[in-house]
Amino acid sequence: MDFQLTEDQRALRAGVRELLEGRYGREALRASLDSADGGDPAGVVDRELWRELGEAGFFALRLPEGGPDGGVGLGPAEAVLVFEEAGRVLLPGPLVATHLAAGVVPGAAQGTAVVTAFDLGGPFVAYLGESDAVLGADGAGAEGAAGAGAVPVRSVDPLTPLYRTAGAPGAVSGALRDEGALLTAALQLGSALRTTELAVRYAKEREQFGQPIGGFQAVKHLCAQMLVRGEVARTAVYAAAVTGAPGEIAGAKLLADEAAVRNARDCLQVHGGMGFTWEADVHLHLKRAWVRAEQWRTAAEAEELLAAELAAEAAAEAGGLGG
Amino acid sequence: MDLTYTEEEREFRARLREWLGKTLPELPARPSPDDWPGRRAHDLGWQRRLYEAGYAGLHWPVDAGGRGATPTQHLIFLEETERAGAPYVGANFVGLLHAGPTIAAEGTAEQRARWLPPVLRGDEVWCQGFSEPDAGSDLAALRTKAVRDGDEYVITGSKIWTSHAEVADWCELLVRTDPGAPKHRGISWLAMPMDAPGVTVRPLRTLAGSTEFAEMFLDGVRVPVGNRVGAENDGWRVTMVTLSFERGTAFVGEVVACRRTLAALARTARANGRWDDPVLRRRLGRLHGEFGALWRLTQWNVSESTRSGGVPGTGGSVFKLRYSHARQELYDAAAEVLGAAGGALSLDEEWTLDRLSSLSYTIAAGTSQIQQNIVAERILGLPKGR
Ligand SMILES: Cc1cc2nc3c(=O)[nH]c(=O)nc-3n(C[C@H](O)[C@H](O)[C@H](O)COP(=O)(O)OP(=O)(O)OC[C@H]3O[C@@H](n4cnc5c(N)ncnc54)[C@H](O)[C@@H]3O)c2cc1C
């Protein structure tokens, strides 16, 4: 057993981080925000960047090497490392759905097609107007038609355009849902680790009462709890990627959702008034974390799944607590 | 990222499991929590069996009398013994998890030969005399003084919260040897025989009603200078070695135990109908996820320490913060599942005592607030508090 990252995995992570920081740094993030804010959600998914991601193997990562879609032949462990990086920079677009559609929907693997999914479990669908296809309940791509009759709604997250569809679409099920939950957990993890960094950096810089606010315990302890949440979520997500067990994936989603949402809130608190501004990036992390927490597997669903697993495991043995 | 075990590790696990299957049924029942001499004998008896079977000091270096096992083998050992319901380290805690590793890392060859074999064989019990009435979280403020008199130190002062003091043979004692030096620089680490003249132990009653720890009064106690581990006035550094061991691996078996408790709780909830309450059921589901992640965190920390050469890192503080809280949540959930009707208010239930003892987890071995300071300052690099 060696749970730590291999050399190759570290190199992959470093490579993706470099690519994303170069291609989707803070300026790019603010530019997509400005275009969304200016009423142009279409500018949110940058088609050129999407193709570049495709070329870099972002979507074809887990397809077999040498296949028609130019697969990279890596596994879920590598996929979560890559998605963690995408989560750090708040890369917009239906990344998870397009990744899952690779090899199924033409163009998804290459990044020439943008594919979304019915992963919100209701009439709402993210990025519908920006997508070429919707990943269907059966895992196949339904092109165009699914969007008929859908209307845009004002989304809490400016970088996740939302649409209300006419009927309740069939939710994605089974193994696809586990994979979606795992990759979404990885995005959440990246965000949780990033907000920790943002909070710590600000706590070291900002001075009040003649000292950096990070010297105050009330601030210090907020930061320490952020780190703890991030590290617990990290091990849960990595372990779930390695085992692929549905219960472990549910646990990872639950803990990563919690880490992303609560770390973003604490980061906001550490930033004081600045944290409540449009100008600071904190709100973007929080809003995206709220959206992702509803995608693929909600907290209620994850907890019920874990409870069912606990009951099944417990039934294998005898004896209770108390007399 | 590899969570599979090697052939060698799997064989190790299989042999251990077989030995536990044979040995555990032969063990006498654990004496009541109030019978300290009985518990000492019980815990030492278990240690003796481990020693005879070659499992004592598994991960200690070979030149310290250990087996030089890898951290992963040690993890398997802790997992399997707990899963099989083997006795807890109990009275051997300080010898095996604090004082022993410190002597192994910092002691002379002679000191190792004197103190380590009896710990591994289950002959001698150690206790930890660190905390004082006025030095808890601020341990370096300790005042118990040791004055050199020829080949001996003469020790005067008092210690508090000393677990197992009543049944211990030795005490790892922190004393002030240079009252003029800055507080971290005048401390020394001594091995004090508990039967030395001038040592008085007065048991303290815990909120669980038992006498788990004690006050210790030291009045002119003479300890040979040769009992000092590490250089004079270098005791603080020596102590940091001890504490990193304590926080690094001491709680691994307990995570396994908590998962067993949670399963038992689920069976009870199914049987008494509380499982049908979705709020409670979801809470148990979340705890299942939480303890699953904590187990993975121990594996993560073990892998990390393997790569860093066996020294537990600050990951121990992260783990302790989260685990101590989760353990308290577990017993709070238990109280809700059982309710008054199920014995939630009855001390006749063993788990009620466990619930009470879980309250100490956020205090002992460095409070949660101190752990958060450590995480913030040493991992995140935030300014040190004054
Ligand atoms: C069951 C049990 C067994 C123990 N066994 C042993 C033993 O065998 N040997 C031994 O030497 N000791 C032992 N201890 C003592 C233990 O290590 C101390 O209780 C602990 O370190 C806290 O010290 P204190 O009790 O003096 O609390 P204090 O230090 O007085 O703390 C009181 C409160 O103030 C907070 N606080 C203090 N300083 C700070 C700070 N800088 N920042 C923020 N908050 C702060 C604490 O977090 C706590 O909430 C044991 C304790 C328990 C409960």
Side-chain angles (χ1 to χ4, degrees), chain A residues 220 248 303 314 319 321, chain B residues 267-268 282 286 296 373 377:
Chain A
K220 223 179 241 186
E248 206 146 16
E303 285 170 350
L321 211 61
Chain B
R267 284 190 289 277
T268 304
R282 281 182 56 183
R286 180 171 276 265
R296 295 306 187 192
N373 288 347
E377 291 167 11

Side-chain angles (χ1 to χ4, degrees), chain A residues 217, chain B residues 128 130-131 136-137 161 163 213 360 363-365 367 369-370 373:
Chain A
Q217 272 196 352
Chain B
Q128 182 194 54
F130 285 12
S131 306
S137 298
W161 321 127
S163 306
F213 48 32
S360 74
I363 298 169
T367 69
Q369 286 70 36
I370 295 300
N373 288 347

Side-chain angles (χ1 to χ4, degrees), chain A residues 310-311 313-321, chain B residues 256-270 275 284 288 330:
Chain A
L310 171 64
E313 280 175 21
E317 283 165 47
L321 211 61
Chain B
V256 179
C258 283
R259 296 179 82 182
R260 289 201 322 181
T261 303
L262 184 59
L265 187 57
R267 284 190 289 277
T268 304
R270 301 270 298 202
W275 188 259
L284 297 179
H288 184 49
L330 171 64

Side-chain angles (χ1 to χ4, degrees), chain A residues 167-236:
Chain A
V172 183
S173 60
L176 212 52
R177 220 167 141 215
D178 285 335
E179 288 174 25
L182 175 66
L183 296 174
T184 306
L187 292 170
Q188 296 283 57
L189 169 63
S191 172
L193 298 176
R194 181 72 189 137
T195 46
T196 307
E197 288 173 9
L198 292 174
V200 170
R201 194 175 69 194
Y202 192 74
K204 287 178 184 171
E205 285 167 9
R206 170 74 175 164
E207 295 195 4
Q208 285 294 283
F209 299 96
Q211 68 165 81
I213 56 166
F216 298 118
Q217 272 196 352
V219 172
K220 223 179 241 186
H221 289 187
L222 281 179
C223 294
Q225 287 299 341
M226 291 174 76
L227 177 116
V228 171
R229 274 183 224 120
E231 290 306 308
V232 171
R234 185 207 297 278
T235 44

Side-chain angles (χ1 to χ4, degrees), chain A residues 286-309:
Chain A
L286 178 57
K287 291 165 177 174
R288 192 76 62 86
W290 277 341
V291 173
R292 289 181 186 137
E294 295 294 323
Q295 285 176 313
W296 301 100
R297 208 174 285 298
T298 63
E301 289 163 348
E303 285 170 350
E304 287 290 5
L305 193 149
L306 284 161
E309 186 186 270

Side-chain angles (χ1 to χ4, degrees), chain B residues 130-152:
Chain B
F130 285 12
S131 306
E132 296 182 5
D134 291 327
S137 298
D138 186 10
L139 185 57
L142 63 92
R143 289 205 299 243
T144 292
K145 68 170 188 226
V147 178
R148 191 92 172 238
D149 179 22
D151 288 345
E152 289 177 328

